[in-house]
Amino acid sequence: MSISVGEVTAMVSADDSGDGEVEPDDNLRAFGETVKASRKRVGLTQEQLAPLIGYSVQYVGSVEQGRRHPSKKFIARTESVLDTFGVIDIAARQLSRRRGLASWFTLPAHRDPGPRVGGLQRRATIRPRPD
């Protein structure tokens, strides 16, 4: 039995009761819905899928709910076990995750300890970090 991207999209759209607002992790949520629809298509529960792909039930649930970015191994193993003929791989390509720090993280200001006066260090001052 094969499944197309259009069929998965139709299943996800039919199950979506959202009001059309874009959520912050919309791509992750869409990927999770694709995994969930594919899993249900072959008649597996999260509890049955998890050991087949070598991940915990909590990990599978988090991915399906769009709360966790899937690892490359998760994507490959899920694609293989669920036999989706590339649907999960295609959905995974829509995920964008840059390497490095999270967008909300900023580097702390550079701390300049100031000069030593008479063997004692003067109180530190905070100055902007030089780039």
Side-chain angles (χ1 to χ4, degrees), residues 26 31 48 50-51 86 95 106-107 128:
D26 197 43
F31 177 81
Q48 293 167 327
L95 301 175
T106 58
L107 293 173

Side-chain angles (χ1 to χ4, degrees), residues 46-60 71 73-78 81:
Q46 289 179 352
E47 290 80 12
Q48 293 167 327
L49 176 62
L52 294 175
I53 60 174
Y55 284 86
S56 69
V57 175
Q58 292 81 9
Y59 190 96
V60 173
S71 68
K73 283 184 181 179
F74 177 90
I75 294 166
R77 290 176 181 176
T78 304
V81 168

Side-chain angles (χ1 to χ4, degrees), residues 5-8 11 18 20-21 25 36 39 53-54 57 59 78-79 82 84 88-89 92-93 99 102 109 123:
V5 174
E7 291 173 310
V8 170
M11 286 187 278
E21 290 184 8
D25 296 323
K36 183 177 181 178
R39 174 181 56 76
I53 60 174
V57 175
Y59 190 96
T78 304
E79 174 69 41
L82 298 180
T84 62
I88 290 179
D89 285 335
R93 286 187 213 140
R99 294 206 178 269
R123 188 197 296 181

